[in-house]
């Protein structure tokens, strides 16, 4: 590594002035296979090179040879803006964003646009996936100013970094007009900008609200609220564009497990069946596209994001536990197998693009003649199971989807998979969409959790989860937790979401494996997160500690599970596993700090609502801790294993004193159950011998059928001095 590269890698926000010579040197040091992304070439070399050549983010490097003199989001850029008293043009996007590509080619590659920006502005590019805290801050400003947001996000700031104008995609001529107009205001009517900045700052201030007592049935209320937007014909919530809303689906599944009803089940299955039928789901290669542009999920926006794969694999795994529907197991496995096959390199890459060969979706769509050529006589069989979208946005090319996925039986999938294998092989020879090779800790941590949960439907994923956890610990957690790895180089201080998702995934992995090292790491990471991000005054966790941002605390579930909602559940779980009450106290403070928002519209905060339900009514899981962690209960296949802390006992299935509560497992789906023999011992609080279980015991049972099964386990814990009140625990048996 050269001295210059080492400096950039170690100190990404180091205050230093980079000369054109530095930039050219960085360009020359690129690998032989480096392809400058620009139409401005001379002798196969880029005519322009800007400060983004010093970055390693794929998105920033896409703009490194624009004629716009881009900077990264760092001290150098902000210092120049102040020195030259120039407005800042801040543009945020990500490597696989279709409209970001459009704006780059139309505007940022354009010499007229570059002339305006270079003369009157300091231009800053941000990869929202590397700096989601920066994106969140300026997205908040955009929504305040315009009522909406999206990517590319373009915000104009004062030299001090305060936003006062925002928008998403601007056509070239509109962009030039806006830039000239804003520069004119800055030069001659600066007081107008100052007033707008002041208003934005006031609106962005976090408003404290008094705590609200949340009802016990909060999750039921949230589900009722959510159902008002349910699409009864095609599933999902609201109108197009349709997003998966994974947090809400998991909340629905949890509520259906607790309080089954036909109407809730219909919401779940209609939505999951429609998504699995194709369009948003890639029936040929597995995995999900980011969202659908229509109500019926047929026309996707073709990006594939790692976080969607993680969250939807989790949803379908939990839905399989609930329904035992083989389709959901298939979709969960195909999604995870897709990322293992095509996105793994130690950790897992971030995304693949919507575009290839300059056109959106070209890699994924088919015309009828090509299908007939590939399948030959099997095209008739193909038509039995699949149809092509009746309308098309792709000029005689179509999206493949199932005719009726619920009419397909298990033997049919053997034929179907043979057909799809032929299509997959041909598709692999096409020019592939761009692969964003960032390995992001937070998204990999979401995938870690998905692998652990999916190991309940296929045990092979537990080893994958362990390998991933060990890779992340080895590569992202040395002296401090890092966020991004690109081509083997890890950088960028982790923000709160990295901690929250990683802690949550590691707790699940600890429960599944029993390996103490994961729990030790969880406690260490949690304590670091509390030190770095906890708001001691108003409670809750801040997004990050970037001094240029307001760092408000978020609770809303958007495209990705909210980090505070995840942390609330993780703090409660950690308290149960370590007997450290401070974690439970912090969880309660976190909940109270957001309680007024949650109470107003609980369905918008599904992650924390589900975890609140877990706290109030007991978590529905295969691993449960009771009596402040003194007893660990695991259900696995046809066994329940209880690990009882030394010095403690539970009463046996048949007690010798009427005042004590016997251990008993009850479910309408249990056919037989065998309790182990009791030990008869004396304890200090009783002169008579007691019938007890201690250390590790196993309850063996058999079920009447394979449907989703909950059981009630009643037990009472006693030490030498006291018997604690009995507890009734709900266990997930399948």
């Amino acid at each position: 590594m050269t001295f210059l590269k080492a400096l950039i890698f170690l100190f990404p926000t180091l205050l230093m002035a980079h000369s054109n010579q530095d930039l050219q040197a960085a360009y020359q040091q690129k690998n032989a296979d480096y392809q400058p992304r620009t139409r401005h070439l001379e002798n196969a070399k880029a005519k322009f090179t800007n400060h983004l050549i010093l970055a390693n983010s794929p998105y920033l490097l896409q703009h490194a040879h624009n004629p716009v003199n881009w900077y990264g989001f760092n001290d150098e850029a902000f210092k120049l803006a102040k020195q030259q008293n120039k407005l800042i043009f801040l543009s945020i996007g990500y490597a696989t964003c279709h409209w970001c590509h459009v704006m780059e080619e139309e505007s940022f590659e354009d010499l007229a646009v570059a002339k305006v920006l270079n003369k009157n502005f300091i231009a800053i590019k941000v990869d929202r996936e590397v700096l989601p805290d920066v994106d969140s801050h300026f997205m908040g400003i955009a929504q305040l100013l315009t009522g909406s947001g999206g990517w590319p996000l373009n915000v104009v700031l004062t030299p001090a970094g305060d936003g006062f104008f925002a928008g998403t995609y601007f056509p070239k001529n509109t962009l030039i007009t806006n830039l000239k107009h804003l520069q004119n205001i800055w030069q001659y009517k600066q007081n107008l900008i100052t007033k707008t900045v002041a208003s934005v700052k006031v609106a962005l201030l976090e408003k404290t609200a008094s705590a609200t007592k949340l009802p016990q049935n909060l999750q039921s209320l949230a589900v009722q609220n959510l159902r008002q937007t349910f699409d009864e014909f095609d599933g999902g919530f609201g109108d197009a564009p349709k997003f998966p809303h994974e947090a809400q689906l998991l909340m629905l599944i949890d509520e259906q497990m607790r309080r089954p009803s036909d109407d809730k089940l219909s919401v779940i299955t209609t939505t999951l069946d429609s998504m699995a039928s194709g369009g948003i789901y890639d029936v040929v290669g597995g995995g999900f596209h980011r969202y659908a542009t229509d109500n019926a999920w047929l026309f996707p926006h073709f990006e594939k994001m790692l976080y969607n794969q993680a969250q939807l694999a989790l949803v379908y795994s939990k839905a399989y536990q609930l329904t035992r529907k083989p389709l959901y197991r298939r979709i969960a496995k195909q999604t995870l197998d897709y990322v293992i096959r095509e996105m793994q390199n130690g950790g897992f890459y971030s995304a693949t693009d919507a575009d290839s060969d300059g056109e959106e979706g070209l890699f994924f769509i088919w015309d009828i003649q090509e299908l007939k050529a590939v399948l030959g006589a099997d095209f008739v069989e193909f038509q039995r199971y699949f149809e092509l979208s009746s309308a098309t946005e792709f000029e005689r090319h179509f999206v493949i989807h199932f005719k009726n996925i619920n009419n397909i039986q298990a033997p049919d999938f053997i034929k179907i998979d043979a057909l799809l294998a032929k299509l997959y092989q041909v598709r692999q020879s096409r020019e592939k969409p761009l692969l964003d090779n960032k390995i992001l800790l937070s998204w990999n941590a979401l995938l870690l959790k998905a692998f652990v949960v999916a190991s309940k439907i296929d045990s092979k994923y537990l080893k994958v989860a362990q390998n991933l956890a060990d890779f992340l610990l080895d590569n992202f957690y040395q002296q401090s937790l890092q966020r991004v790895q690109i081509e083997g180089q890890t950088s960028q201080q982790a923000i709160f979401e990295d901690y929250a998702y990683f802690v949550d995934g590691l707790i699940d992995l600890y429960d599944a494996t029993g390996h103490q090292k994961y729990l030790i790491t969880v406690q260490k990471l949690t304590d670091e997160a509390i030190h770095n991000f906890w708001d001691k005054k108003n409670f809750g966790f801040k997004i990050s500690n970037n001094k240029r941002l307001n760092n408000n605390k978020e609770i809303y579930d958007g495209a990705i599970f909210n980090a505070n909602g995840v942390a609330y559940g993780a703090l409660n779980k950690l308290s149960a596993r370590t007997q450290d009450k401070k974690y439970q106290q912090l969880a309660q403070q976190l909940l109270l700090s957001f309680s007024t928002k949650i109470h107003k519209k609980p369905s918008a905060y599904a992650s924390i609502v589900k975890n609140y339900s877990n706290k109030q009514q007991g978590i529905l899981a295969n691993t449960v801790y009771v009596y402040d962690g003194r007893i660990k209960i695991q259900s696995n296949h046809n066994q329940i294993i209880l690990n009882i802390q030394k010095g403690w006992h539970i009463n046996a299935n048949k007690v010798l004193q009427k005042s004590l509560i016997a251990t008993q497992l009850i479910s309408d789906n249990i056919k037989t159950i065998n309790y182990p023999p009791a030990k008869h011992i004396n304890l200090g609080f009783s002169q008579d011998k007691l019938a007890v279980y201690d250390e590790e015991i196993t309850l063996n049972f058999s079920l009447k059928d394979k449907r989703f099964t909950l059981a009630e386990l009643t037990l009472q814990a006693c030490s030498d001095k006291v018997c604690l009140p009995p507890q009734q625990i709900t266990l997930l048996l399948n």
Side-chain angles (χ1 to χ4, degrees), residues 607-667:
S607 291
I608 200 166
V609 168
K610 182 175 72 68
N611 286 325
Y612 172 79
S613 189
N614 288 339
K615 178 62 179 171
Q616 298 301 308
Q617 303 171 62
I619 189 169
L620 299 183
N622 298 99
T623 302
V624 177
Y625 291 76
V626 293
Y627 289 110
D628 293 329
R630 295 184 182 100
I631 301 174
K632 177 183 179 182
I633 307 168
Q634 288 181 293
S635 64
N636 189 23
H637 300 299
N638 292 321
Q639 293 183 328
I640 293 174
I641 301 169
L642 293 91
N643 290 97
I644 305 164
Q645 192 179 96
K646 188 175 181 180
W648 287 86
H649 312 77
I650 61 172
N651 299 323
N653 174 245
K654 293 182 179 178
V655 294
L656 302 179
Q657 287 80 19
K658 291 182 179 179
S659 61
L660 299 178
I661 303 299
T663 295
Q664 192 171 24
L665 183 69
I666 297 175
S667 170

Side-chain angles (χ1 to χ4, degrees), residues 175-190:
L175 178 63
I176 291 174
T177 300
N178 286 340
L179 291 173
K180 288 181 176 179
H181 177 62
L182 293 169
Q183 168 57 23
N184 186 63
I185 294 175
W186 177 247
Q187 191 168 356
Y188 298 109
K189 298 179 182 178
Q190 208 168 115

Side-chain angles (χ1 to χ4, degrees), residues 242-293:
K242 271 192 175 170
F243 291 82
H245 293 295
E246 296 95 335
Q248 282 77 11
L249 287 169
L250 285 173
M251 180 183 70
L252 263 167
I253 291 168
D254 187 82
E255 182 66 7
Q256 176 67 10
M257 287 176 167
R258 295 178 191 279
R259 281 167 283 276
S261 70
D262 290 343
D263 58 345
K264 286 198 295 288
L265 185 62
S266 175
V267 174
I268 294 165
T269 57
T270 301
T271 301
L272 297 189
D273 292 353
S274 296
M275 289 198 298
S277 292
I280 190 174
Y281 183 69
D282 179 2
V283 296
V284 174
F288 285 87
H289 301 293
R290 191 160 74 93
Y291 65 88
T293 60

